[in-house]
Each structure stands twice: as structure tokens, then as C-alpha cells.
Amino acid sequence: MMEQIQYFEDYEIGASRLTSGRTITETDFIVHAGHTGDFFPHHMDAEYMKTTPFGQRIAHGTLVFSVGIGLTATVVNPVAFSYGYDRLRFIKPVFIGDTIRTRTTIAAKEDDPKRPGSGRVIERCEVINQRGEVVLAADHIYIVERRPVQS
């Protein structure tokens, strides 16, 4: 993990990066179910899921979100913090053995009405499987300090 200062003015609309990949395992399903209490058969019952159009267990959407966003956490910006996520969508199922990576793109910048010394940066996050299909999308909102005024 590295630290890199990036002020509001430094973010460029359209700037993009792609993370490394991570393969989703059965252990991920079990640990996530234990953490969240979500033991729905869609995630835990292989025989039940054979009777559905999916044909196999599907990853918890919150598991895909957690791992996908975790993959982006490689740089600490000490002048920014997460304000939350908007427009979270589970677009396609993720299965055991799928490898996901995340593409982030700076989608917008706007003033922060509550904090005149900062702005909001909206980073579009797209989690992509090994076939290049977007399986999850969300907008990550950052509050980012503006560059200090030089006197």
C-alpha cells in the first residue's frame, strides 16, 4: 500500500485504471455467509441451484461488491475519504471459479455544498469477470480537499 496526495483539482474526468484479478472460491461464499448471516440457498445449496436457470450457486452481491472494491484499495490518499456509494447494481451473476477485477473511471467532479474547502469526486467502479463482462457497477463518492491557496 502506498500513500499519494491527490487534491480535488488533480482528478481528471475519464482517468481510468484496472486492478489485478482475484478468483472467487467456495471458501469466500462460506466466510461471507458467516460474516453476514446470509445463508440463502442461492449461495449455499448446490443441489437447489441445479434446478434454477443459473445451474449453480451464485456469489452474494455483497461479496462481489466487497472483493471488487477491496481490489481498488492500493493507494491511500490522505486528503480524501469515502462518502459512500450510489447506483449499486448486480448486473450478472458471479460463480465459484470466476476471476474478477475492477475498472475505475473518474466520472464527475462537483462542489461539496457542506464543505467549501473540498469537492466531490465520483468514481465509476465496474467489476468485470474473466470474459470481460461487467458483473457489478457502482459510483464511489469521495470527498477530496481542494489544493491549499498559496499566500
Side-chain angles (χ1 to χ4, degrees), residues 64-77:
V64 177
F65 175 74
S66 298
V67 172
I69 296 304
L71 288 169
T72 71
T74 56
V75 177
V76 175
N77 183 356

Side-chain angles (χ1 to χ4, degrees), residues 49-87:
M49 288 306 290
K50 286 179 185 175
T51 70
T52 72
F54 296 108
Q56 60 183 311
R57 291 174 286 170
I58 58 174
H60 303 73
T62 51
L63 167 62
V64 177
F65 175 74
S66 298
V67 172
I69 296 304
L71 288 169
T72 71
T74 56
V75 177
V76 175
N77 183 356
V79 298
F81 65 91
S82 177
Y83 190 59
Y85 295 84
D86 278 347
R87 300 166 37 104

Side-chain angles (χ1 to χ4, degrees), residues 23-41:
T23 301
I24 301 299
T25 67
E26 182 171 18
T27 300
D28 292 322
F29 279 43
I30 294 165
V31 170
H32 193 77
H35 284 161
T36 63
D38 180 350
F39 291 92
F40 269 33

Side-chain angles (χ1 to χ4, degrees), residues 86-101:
D86 278 347
R87 300 166 37 104
L88 173 62
R89 298 291 180 267
F90 307 131
I91 298 168
K92 287 185 174 274
V94 172
F95 304 108
I96 293 170
D98 281 352
T99 298
I100 60 173
R101 64 190 68 246

